[in-house]
Amino acid sequence: MQKILNYINGELVEPSSKQYIDNINPATGAAYSLCPDSDERDVELAYQAAEAAFENWSNMPSDNRSKILLKLASFIERDNDKLAKAESIDQGKPFWLAQKGEIPRAQQNIHFFATAIEHYASETHSMGGHALNYTLRTPIGVVGCISPWNLPLYLFTWKIAPALATGNCVVAKPSEITPMTAFMLSELCIEAGLPKGVLNIVHGLGPKVGSALVSHEKITAISFTGGTKTGAEIARVAAPMFKKLSLELGGKNPNIIFADCDFDKAVKESVRSSFTNQGEICLCGSRIFIERSIYDKFKAAFVEESKKMKVGNPLADDTKVGAIASKMHFEKVLSYIDLAKQEGGNILLGGHEVNLDGENTNGYFIAPTIIENLAYHCRTNQEEIFGPIVTLTPFDSEEEVLMMANSTVYGLACNIWTENLNKAHRVAAKVKSGIVWINCWLLRDLRTPFGGMKQSGVGREGGWEAIRFFTEAKNVCIKM
Ligand code: NAD
């Protein structure tokens, strides 16, 4: 079986423990490779390598850093299909989704920050003729990046690219559930000539590798994407150590459909925002609120359109919904369907696992599920499920839908469907979320601030926000 290796000090190495965890293909339920079961010893080795590399990397002219990162980005582009297939097998997502969306986005992440640093200028503040302030922005040092399993290479590169581009050295930990493409990236880093120690990738379990990273005395900034509970644990450990923290956490996003929307577009895009990547995107709109006058019409069209979401082998071209990423998550999602029934939910579509034939007999497949008749404040409507499950709820007024939309502890993203521009702006301003999409979903400009309010996170990624996070600002004041 293929062994995934850690990437430390420019080399692919075994974990100190020499122990491995089975890496499961969720579409077959079978182990197909081995992920290092690393621990604090490997994190320490990675830290030492990063620390040793920092002087040269941080002092390298930014155009040289940019050149190396652009080379890495070009290798991702070259290997796009190979990486997409690996991502599909590792995570369960349809191959075409990784091929057309996520792996190209991983390339763009690196390209974007590699070129951004070429254009970056820090601020000056003149005090008339008296004095001049200028801001130096210097890399922090060795930083930690921890990423989840839902969009593995996409979210991994979204963190490491700004960290590296701004001159930091990185110790990174991908999810143990989907380690394959980060491993393949480490091979590309070697090929691209990334100096040794600049990026180190330590694979393994969160409570071992992740917590060793977070509690490491000398790693002074942590960029984390994952669940809210894990984010709280990281903050608990890191806050008293005064680490810089960026936390991108869970969501329970509202998708608001007003009666004056472009109906066909709203239905089609709502199917996409509900079930893309098996609903395992933090930005999926899992609570659909529909203005009462079009509730029945929308419900019928939405159910009809959702029936086209074929569940199947992730590698097949016609598969729209692949496998749930892990057995544990599969069981969690199914338990929420049971909960919804107990809470009085009426299942309009799906509501069960899907048993496929052949090599997929033991895979983790769940049918796209649509539920109505639930109170907005019940657990099904308040807790993050992170699977192909959505609820439909009617509303009568803007005030009511805003109250329901804002009723959860989360505040990541919101979709609004209306052709009335005034209403769109009004609702966008009042909804408590870090991202609002009007008449679209997941339309991304990498320059924009990305992140959530309330328990969806702390801080923002993207564009200058990421560059600011990964640098320390120092004001220098000169008296004239
Ligand atoms: P998770 O919190 O279980 O794990 C995320 C990462 O943290 C993994 O690499 C894991 O090994 C590591 N980890 C676990 N325990 C740790 C600890 N004690 N210390 C340090 N690291 C630890 O999340 P997940 O199940 O992998 O991902 C799904 C979650 O991620 C969902 O809640 C989803 O909403 C969220 N998410 C958020 C965004 C966003 O941008 N806001 C994007 C994608 C996913």
Side-chain angles (χ1 to χ4, degrees), residues 222-458:
I222 299 286
S223 173
F224 169 79
T225 298
T228 293
K229 241 180 156 171
T230 316
E233 170 61 13
I234 289 174
R236 191 187 65 76
V237 175
M241 299 174 84
F242 303 104
K243 288 183 195 242
K244 223 174 167 184
L245 274 184
S246 166
L247 302 174
E248 298 294 337
L249 310 176
K252 186 75 177 175
N253 309 309
N255 177 12
I256 303 173
I257 320 282
F258 285 102
D260 57 7
C261 67
D262 177 333
F263 186 83
D264 293 341
K265 215 159 135 198
V267 170
K268 275 216 159 84
E269 282 294 288
S270 294
V271 172
R272 209 167 72 81
S273 67
S274 299
F275 303 122
T276 298
N277 204 42
Q278 303 73 246
E280 295 165 334
I281 300 183
C282 53
L283 306 164
C284 279
S286 55
R287 294 179 296 148
I288 308 181
F289 297 105
I290 306 143
E291 197 159 0
R292 197 177 298 276
S293 59
I294 61 159
Y295 183 82
D296 289 334
K297 185 179 165 201
F298 184 91
K299 174 171 94 176
F302 181 69
V303 169
E304 229 21 65
E305 194 64 27
S306 300
K307 284 182 185 164
K308 297 180 190 162
M309 298 299 282
K310 184 176 175 224
V311 180
N313 183 334
L315 296 175
D317 289 343
D318 61 346
T319 290
K320 296 282 191 289
V321 176
I324 301 296
S326 69
K327 186 156 196 278
M328 203 167 92
H329 192 57
F330 170 74
E331 283 164 0
K332 176 188 155 183
V333 175
L334 287 176
S335 78
Y336 271 100
I337 297 176
D338 288 341
L339 175 70
K341 287 181 192 158
Q342 285 162 29
E343 289 184 318
N346 176 29
I347 311 275
L348 297 167
L349 185 72
H352 51 78
E353 62 182 283
V354 176
N355 297 307
L356 299 179
D357 298 333
E359 62 166 359
N360 300 119
T361 315
N362 296 319
Y364 318 134
F365 297 92
I366 296 180
T369 296
I370 305 171
I371 308 169
E372 68 168 353
N373 201 33
L374 285 169
Y376 77 89
H377 49 64
C378 72
R379 280 184 56 204
T380 310
N381 267 330
Q382 294 287 313
E383 296 175 14
E384 185 184 46
I385 301 174
F386 213 53
I389 317 285
V390 294
T391 61
L392 307 186
T393 308
F395 69 89
D396 293 301
S397 67
E398 245 173 81
E399 291 68 31
E400 187 193 15
V401 77
L402 274 165
M403 180 276 291
M404 294 194 287
N406 290 336
S407 68
T408 74
V409 295
Y410 299 107
L412 187 55
C414 171
N415 308 339
I416 300 168
W417 291 91
T418 173
E419 292 294 292
N420 179 331
L421 206 55
N422 285 337
K423 189 192 293 177
H425 288 309
R426 211 164 47 229
V427 176
K430 287 187 180 159
V431 78
K432 291 199 176 76
S433 67
I435 301 154
V436 178
W437 277 295
I438 297 172
N439 299 329
C440 59
W441 178 68
L442 207 50
L443 187 55
R444 292 280 292 116
D445 179 328
L446 304 192
R447 294 170 300 180
T448 59
F450 179 91
M453 296 182 183
K454 301 195 274 181
Q455 293 189 21
S456 285
V458 177

Side-chain angles (χ1 to χ4, degrees), residues 62-104:
S62 60
D63 55 336
N64 287 4
R65 280 205 302 270
S66 176
K67 263 186 212 143
I68 296 171
L69 293 173
L70 287 174
K71 204 167 181 186
L72 179 61
S74 75
F75 290 161
I76 295 178
E77 194 169 13
R78 180 196 68 192
D79 291 355
N80 187 77
D81 289 7
K82 202 167 120 189
L83 288 159
K85 188 169 176 197
E87 197 81 300
S88 170
I89 292 169
D90 214 26
Q91 203 274 344
K93 65 181 73 259
F95 167 70
W96 58 263
L97 187 63
Q99 182 195 35
K100 296 200 172 72
E102 294 175 27
I103 304 301

